[in-house]
Amino acid sequence: MMQELKDRILKDGKVIGEDILKVDSFLNHQIDTDLVYKIARYLGSNFSGVNKVLTIEASGIAYALAVANYFNNAPMVFAKKSKSKTVDMNTVYKTTIKSFTRGTESVVTVAKDYLTKDDKVLIIDDFLAEGNAALGLIDLCKQAGSTVVGVGIVIEKGFQGGRERLEKMGIKVESAAIITKFENGKPILK
Ligand code: 5GP
């Protein structure tokens, strides 16, 4: 666990409703760029043998970029949510991911050219809740025949079941900070 991130969550994180942590002031709207690189070093040091980093747009991108750079400037790929007119659906792997924050489902795609059987992929995201985003990205890797090295998360909410679902599949999960619960509108960190 990363003490600096834990302190920052306690200082600047805001609990919204029952189950959402808002960290827009430093983590996924306005971004503390120095903290991004520190998080990347922390997450990167927990994995080895990575030659590609995969995330989903938009808020995972900054962290995935920095982690990919940590692994000798490996390429970073982000799965796209929007059905852009420039996407030929025959040239992409696609999966459906339920959004935790919005409750909607979206089709996400990665071009077949950018995910292959030679890739040893580290999946990175800003939050882990129920694990749907990570499971969708794992599904894309499976379709491509890529190896999933693990899942690296900036903030895990440890009470929403995501880790259990991933570990049941034999996937290694590392998080820079883990919230065990929300109590009186405040996050309690592990
Ligand atoms: P999961 O798919 O694991 O249920 O949820 C992870 C995804 O939902 C992440 O990509 C993240 O963007 C979003 N998310 C889940 N919980 C939170 C939260 O408490 N705060 C914010 N800002 N995003 C969240």
Side-chain angles (χ1 to χ4, degrees), residues 39-68:
I39 290 167
R41 279 197 292 277
Y42 178 85
L43 291 177
S45 67
N46 278 288
F47 296 94
S48 58
V50 173
N51 68 8
K52 189 161 284 185
V53 175
L54 178 67
T55 191
I56 180 167
E57 66 177 356
S59 40
I61 291 175
Y63 302 91
L65 178 87
V67 171

Side-chain angles (χ1 to χ4, degrees), residues 55-171:
T55 191
I56 180 167
E57 66 177 356
S59 40
I61 291 175
Y63 302 91
L65 178 87
V67 171
N69 190 258
Y70 172 92
F71 286 108
N72 289 322
N73 196 24
M76 183 278 281
V77 177
F78 62 94
K80 296 195 172 201
K81 282 178 189 162
S82 55
K83 260 185 257 165
S84 157
K85 283 189 182 139
T86 61
V87 176
D88 172 354
M89 291 309 269
N90 295 316
T91 65
V92 297
Y93 298 113
K94 54 178 177 288
T95 195
T96 305
I97 294 181
K98 180 183 155 228
S99 159
F100 184 86
T101 45
R102 270 174 259 127
T104 53
E105 294 215 323
S106 50
V107 175
V108 307
T109 62
V110 167
K112 290 179 179 172
D113 284 347
Y114 306 137
L115 208 51
T116 74
K117 61 177 176 32
D118 299 324
D119 288 330
K120 295 174 180 58
V121 179
L122 177 58
I123 291 168
I124 294 286
D125 205 2
D126 60 339
F127 273 90
L128 178 66
E130 295 174 344
N132 295 312
L135 287 164
L137 295 172
I138 290 166
D139 181 39
L140 293 172
C141 290
K142 276 204 179 133
Q143 291 178 45
S146 311
T147 304
V148 177
V149 175
V151 173
I153 297 291
V154 181
I155 302 178
E156 173 182 345
K157 290 180 293 175
F159 52 94
Q160 289 168 343
R163 174 181 289 269
E164 288 73 16
R165 289 173 80 191
L166 296 169
E167 286 182 344
K168 222 179 262 174
M169 298 172 68
I171 306 277

